[in-house]
Amino acid sequence: MTILREMKLALVAAIALLCGVAEAAPAGAAAPAAAQFRRGVNIIGYDPIWKDPAKARFQQKHFGEIRRGGFDFVRVNLFAFEHMDERNRLDPKWLERLDWVVREAGKAGLGVILDEHDFDACAKDLPACKVKLPAFWRQVAPRYARAPASVAFELLNEPYGPLDADTWNTLSAELLGIVRASNPARTVIIGPTQWNNFAQLKTLKLPEADRNILVTFHYYEPFRFTHQGASWAGDMKDVKGVQWSEDGRLQARRDFATVAAWAKAQRRPVLLGEFGAYDMSGTPIDQRVAYTKAIREEAEAAGFPWAYWQFDSNFLVWDMDKDGWVEPIRSALIPSPR
């Protein structure tokens, strides 16, 4: 059965090439495919665009602004579960809006990561998650099977809670199989449990033969600095006045060296999928700029592409009210001249 399945996948890939389909990198070539993602930003997870496009903050022009701002990809945060009916079918209008995002990002010259972001829903109701996540990828993966190589799939953001290592390894293998049935050569992004914690990379089990996987981790250390004042982050609501120091840079350097060693040993490319400092904490912007610059520099020194959290809402790098970049943060992320 394994041989037959491999023959089937090879046939699908061959047909795609004959039909002129721009697929992701050839199977077993994750690193070249991943190289297209260098400097990115997370977008539109919390935007009204998904429920009422007329109220959308994010507009078509922002794709071009992101590209001109020096970024080369977007990580699109998708809360798809709330757009499913009782049979777990995705709302056609929601899918049309997703088509628009993928199309317009591509026109602007941006790579796209489709990130299924229902991590809290999965932690709160694991049985439902085990039904909804496969249903999501059964619908979305075939829909974008003919998409260009610049589109990647991220199976689930930040699994945690009941999605412990064993449970997540089992579920992610199922999801990967669903994706591979229609996208045998697509770059797929998978991260470890405990909110994509780098310390859990050692628990992540990936199929040895599938080398077209980009492994992700998130990094918000020192947490008391990056999340001070955040009401949703445990006991951080009343924390204030925590200062950034170069000790934070040194910690990141050590932690990223650990990730890089794991990546080398496993022969896997790695993506820093999220980092940022909460912008509504009252923390002076020069402190946030110093943090952002340091983490970006250390990630790039370690050879990791990255995606900043996030475009707007909070942790923002774009100010919707002023219709422009928060330039000190953008410059910390993209230091070269535009």
Side-chain angles (χ1 to χ4, degrees), residues 48-314:
I49 193 170
W50 301 109
K51 294 182 179 179
D52 185 354
K55 297 179 180 178
R57 296 191 302 269
F58 194 95
Q59 304 294 322
Q60 181 174 336
K61 70 174 185 177
H62 290 122
F63 292 113
E65 293 285 2
I66 289 170
R67 189 69 186 95
R68 288 188 292 274
F71 300 90
D72 54 56
F73 75 96
V74 289
R75 180 173 179 253
V76 185
N77 313 131
L78 304 172
F79 292 94
F81 290 4
E82 63 183 340
H83 300 281
M84 289 177 166
D85 65 15
E86 67 280 357
R87 296 174 61 183
N88 296 315
R89 295 173 301 189
L90 286 162
D91 181 349
K93 292 187 180 298
W94 185 88
L95 286 167
E96 289 174 5
R97 180 54 44 172
L98 184 58
D99 290 343
W100 175 84
V101 170
V102 173
R103 182 176 64 251
E104 296 304 320
K107 285 182 181 179
L110 294 167
V112 178
I113 294 174
L114 298 182
D115 152 47
E116 216 305 309
H117 210 79
D118 281 297
F119 63 119
D120 280 334
C122 283
K124 292 175 182 176
D125 190 344
L126 182 57
C129 177
K130 286 182 175 181
V131 174
K132 289 180 178 296
L133 260 185
F136 172 84
W137 287 113
R138 286 192 186 99
Q139 295 168 80
V140 170
R143 191 177 187 92
Y144 298 107
R146 298 173 65 88
S150 55
V151 178
F153 298 160
E154 184 168 348
L155 299 182
L156 178 66
N157 172 76
E158 295 188 349
Y160 76 96
L163 273 173
D164 57 19
D166 289 342
T167 306
W168 175 232
N169 284 330
T170 299
L171 181 56
S172 63
E174 177 189 353
L175 300 174
L176 183 61
I178 291 169
V179 168
R180 287 290 178 242
S182 57
N183 290 260
R186 178 76 50 197
T187 296
V188 175
I189 298 171
I190 307 174
T193 189
Q194 290 189 16
W195 297 275
N196 291 154
N197 190 320
F198 80 92
Q200 295 299 312
L201 284 169
K202 61 181 180 293
T203 71
L204 188 62
K205 294 182 180 179
L206 302 170
E208 182 65 27
D210 193 336
R211 309 309 299 181
N212 207 1
I213 294 172
L214 179 56
V215 177
T216 189
F217 76 103
H218 295 175
Y219 195 80
Y220 288 103
E221 299 300 329
F223 195 78
R224 284 181 63 81
F225 173 78
T226 64
H227 281 67
Q228 57 186 308
S231 60
W232 71 90
D235 61 353
M236 298 302 296
K237 179 180 178 181
D238 297 322
V239 175
K240 62 177 65 176
V242 180
Q243 301 291 299
W244 167 258
S245 75
E246 283 301 293
D247 288 343
R249 177 191 286 272
L250 295 176
Q251 179 183 353
R253 186 174 300 169
R254 291 191 296 268
D255 293 342
F256 291 178
T258 298
V259 175
W262 179 91
K264 182 178 180 180
Q266 299 297 319
R267 298 181 297 117
R268 300 282 186 186
V270 170
L271 165 71
L272 172 54
E274 290 183 18
F275 70 101
Y278 186 46
D279 69 308
M280 300 178 70
S281 62
T283 305
I285 193 167
D286 63 324
Q287 289 269 300
R288 292 176 49 236
V289 167
Y291 156 85
T292 302
K293 182 174 184 289
I295 300 303
R296 189 266 304 166
E297 287 178 343
E298 294 303 324
E300 292 181 351
F304 306 151
W306 50 261
Y308 179 75
W309 185 268
Q310 59 181 325
F311 184 68
D312 76 314
S313 294
N314 50 36

